[in-house]
Amino acid sequence: MAIDLKKRVYASKAKSGSVILAGWAQDIQILGKLAFITLRDASGQALLVVKSDLKNFKELSNLNRESVISIKGKIQKSKSKKFNKEILVGELEILNKAEPLPIEFSGKVDTSLDKRLDWRFIDLRNPKINAIFKIQAQVSQSFREFFIKEGFTEFWPPEIIEAAPEGGADLFTVDYFESKAYLAQSPELYKEICTGTDFEKVFCIIPIWRAEKHNTIKHLNEIRQMDIEAAFKDQHSIIDYLDRCVKYIVKDVLKKCKEEIKLLNPKLKVPQTKKLSYKQVIDSLNKHKFKVKYGDDLSPDAEKKLAEIYGENTLVFIHSWPTSQKPFYIMTKDGKISEGFDADYGGLEIASGGQRIHDPELLKERLKDKGLNVKDFKFFIDSLKYGIPPHAGWSIGLERLTMIICGLKNIREACLFPRDRSRLLP
């Protein structure tokens, strides 16, 4: 490379004097003896002015948009309506000439989501799409910061397992040498085990896999979960962690991702809180002419109705569900009402959790009630025999929380490279 990129600065830092920039030629216009190039890099854009006496000026007529270039030039005032300053180019180097673009990523032309995902590495060059994942990065960072401040320890559970931690058959099978194994659908049992150690309080951010044959706007087969578990907690004290954590995350995003939020969801505010028992929710839905029976799960339409009743900007915590609607590991005190909860935000379930069973004999009973083989969970049942305290936890979907914060309509938009029933590429 002729231009010394060690001295390169970002477009947003180019204020005066001579500068070296490098990035993508987002737009190229040749008007007689002048060429105007909008250069884009990670920080923003800069307007380049190229005169015809530049030695490789003629190459610009065959240069496709999104080619990678570097330039050396001098900053001067601009007459452009969009830019206050421009850079008069003294040297220009084409680092990688792009082929004609297979999709229009600017947003000026409608492109279907499927087509955009087929060419995701180009789609991500749209500042609005890129902003989603800058916000998502901040969401995960804020989650981690919150729980470190709360005295939690980060841990990494195995992703290849022998039995389903949440029961059911919706697992991806893995050939594991001479044995059959599965991709983990949850870190549940391992985080519970950790509460019986001197950690007491743990969290993780990990991928999980569910082989459910969904084809909806809110389901993926590979997702990222943000999980916590804490000793000596019940469902209400663990709900408090979730309430404060989501508000902390949203506040952080509003503070640290101002430009991205302006692009995506300028109406975003820190949410309010509403805590209701499952029975209160059923009564409230029926009162508002939405028919649902006690003992039923809440449909997507029911979740939307709750947002309509209590407000889109409200975290609705639904606690004390019927035991029949919760996984085998959720504590039940009388066999009918559990210590489990769900959390809805913006008409979408974003989290579930509750107090867990720490009594090995009760856990065996619940496994049998769910039609699961007690032998498959021997290692976990054994762990309860040696002093695991009462404990509780929850998991929140990173993509679903990103959907709500960014105001998105489809969870695939909140996943960098989504995996669903029909997509394994790119």
Side-chain angles (χ1 to χ4, degrees):
M1 293 181 290
I3 297 175
D4 186 2
L5 292 184
K6 292 177 183 177
K7 298 179 180 179
R8 173 200 175 201
V9 298
Y10 280 119
S12 64
K13 302 293 184 183
K15 302 298 182 183
S16 62
S18 295
V19 292
I20 291 173
L21 302 181
W24 290 264
Q26 180 173 299
D27 188 52
I28 305 167
Q29 293 185 16
I30 300 174
L31 304 173
K33 294 184 178 182
L34 285 177
F36 299 91
I37 301 173
T38 302
L39 180 140
R40 186 188 71 254
D41 63 20
S43 73
Q45 300 175 354
L47 178 62
L48 312 180
V49 180
V50 187
K51 292 183 177 180
S52 59
D53 58 359
L54 195 75
K55 65 178 181 180
N56 50 357
F57 181 84
K58 290 183 179 179
E59 292 183 50
L60 299 181
S61 61
N62 296 315
L63 192 66
N64 292 316
R65 290 170 51 214
E66 294 302 295
S67 294
V68 183
I69 63 173
S70 62
I71 65 99
K72 185 176 183 179
K74 188 174 182 180
I75 296 175
Q76 59 186 24
K77 288 184 178 179
S78 177
K79 296 179 181 179
S80 167
K81 293 180 180 179
K82 186 176 179 181
F83 298 92
N84 294 322
K85 295 180 180 180
E86 62 192 27
I87 300 170
L88 181 62
V89 175
E91 296 179 46
L92 184 147
E93 186 175 0
I94 299 170
L95 301 176
N96 195 343
K97 185 178 178 180
E99 295 183 9
L101 295 174
I103 63 167
E104 176 54 60
F105 68 87
S106 67
K108 295 176 182 177
V109 177
D110 285 339
T111 305
S112 71
L113 180 58
D114 274 347
K115 189 74 172 177
R116 285 172 41 214
L117 293 176
D118 287 342
W119 298 95
R120 188 57 144 170
F121 45 90
I122 296 176
D123 185 49
L124 286 167
R125 297 178 188 181
N126 181 324
K128 196 170 181 178
I129 305 304
N130 197 266
I132 295 169
F133 300 102
K134 289 180 179 177
I135 289 171
Q136 190 171 80
Q138 185 58 56
V139 169
S140 63
Q141 182 178 332
S142 298
F143 172 86
R144 181 174 281 110
E145 287 175 355
F146 178 85
F147 283 104
I148 288 173
K149 289 177 182 177
E150 292 288 330
F152 282 64
T153 300
E154 188 168 7
F155 84 114
W156 291 269
E159 296 296 328
I160 299 175
I161 57 173
E162 187 181 33
E166 295 191 0
D170 297 323
L171 293 161
F172 288 108
T173 306
V174 176
D175 291 327
Y176 194 72
F177 301 104
E178 290 77 32
S179 302
K180 183 168 74 172
Y182 305 95
L183 294 178
Q185 64 179 177
S186 168
E188 183 59 45
L189 305 186
Y190 296 96
K191 63 177 184 169
E192 288 192 50
I193 288 170
C194 286
T195 66
T197 71
D198 287 353
F199 292 137
E200 286 196 17
K201 301 187 292 185
V202 294
F203 76 90
C204 63
I205 305 175
I206 58 164
I208 60 109
W209 296 264
R210 294 176 185 259
E212 297 162 333
K213 295 181 179 179
H214 290 303
N215 186 20
T216 77
I217 61 169
K218 66 175 188 176
H219 287 97
L220 291 171
N221 295 104
E222 179 189 64
I223 61 173
R224 266 55 38 185
Q225 276 193 184
M226 302 186 291
D227 274 70
I228 75 160
E229 202 76 21
F232 307 106
K233 302 295 181 183
D234 61 14
Q235 66 167 327
H236 296 289
S237 53
I238 212 73
I239 282 173
D240 179 64
Y241 276 123
L242 181 54
D243 186 32
R244 291 190 294 116
C245 173
V246 171
K247 290 174 179 177
Y248 180 93
I249 288 171
V250 174
K251 193 178 292 184
D252 248 13
V253 168
L254 286 168
K255 180 181 178 181
K256 298 175 182 177
C257 301
K258 291 179 181 178
E259 295 304 313
E260 289 79 11
I261 286 297
K262 280 182 185 178
L263 282 174
L264 293 164
N265 191 11
K267 294 181 180 180
L268 180 69
K269 295 186 294 185
V270 177
Q272 304 299 310
T273 301
K274 187 72 176 178
K275 297 179 183 179
L276 302 162
S277 70
Y278 171 84
K279 185 180 184 305
Q280 287 174 317
V281 166
I282 298 302
D283 291 344
S284 178
L285 287 169
N286 282 299
K287 180 182 176 182
H288 287 84
K289 312 300 182 186
F290 189 97
K291 292 184 179 180
V292 58
K293 294 178 183 177
Y294 184 92
D296 288 349
D297 197 0
L298 296 182
S299 67
D301 286 339
E303 293 168 354
K304 290 176 184 176
K305 187 65 178 178
L306 287 175
E308 182 184 315
I309 295 168
Y310 297 108
E312 289 280 342
N313 194 47
T314 302
L315 269 170
V316 181
F317 292 97
I318 310 162
H319 61 81
S320 305
W321 278 66
T323 298
S324 60
Q325 283 289 348
K326 285 298 169 185
F328 68 87
Y329 51 79
I330 291 290
M331 176 62 78
T332 178
K333 291 185 176 178
D334 60 3
K336 295 180 181 179
I337 305 298
S338 77
E339 284 286 311
F341 76 90
D342 287 354
D344 288 9
Y345 182 16
L348 190 68
E349 182 189 318
I350 60 164
S352 63
Q355 184 177 341
R356 322 304 192 178
I357 294 173
H358 59 279
D359 178 341
E361 295 307 314
L362 178 56
L363 186 67
K364 289 178 186 178
E365 288 180 23
R366 292 290 295 131
L367 284 165
K368 291 174 184 176
D369 289 343
K370 291 289 186 179
L372 299 171
N373 190 338
V374 173
K375 292 180 181 178
D376 289 342
F377 297 87
K378 182 180 183 302
F379 87 96
F380 181 63
I381 294 168
D382 285 347
S383 75
L384 302 184
K385 296 177 181 179
Y386 302 98
I388 284 190
H391 57 282
W394 46 256
S395 65
I396 184 169
L398 176 60
E399 285 87 358
R400 285 200 183 182
L401 185 54
T402 303
M403 274 183 75
I404 298 300
I405 289 175
C406 294
L408 307 175
K409 301 300 182 184
N410 193 312
I411 197 168
R412 289 158 186 79
E413 292 200 79
C415 185
L416 202 60
F417 297 104
R419 295 290 178 258
D420 57 28
R421 288 180 67 184
S422 59
R423 184 171 293 279
L424 272 174
L425 288 172

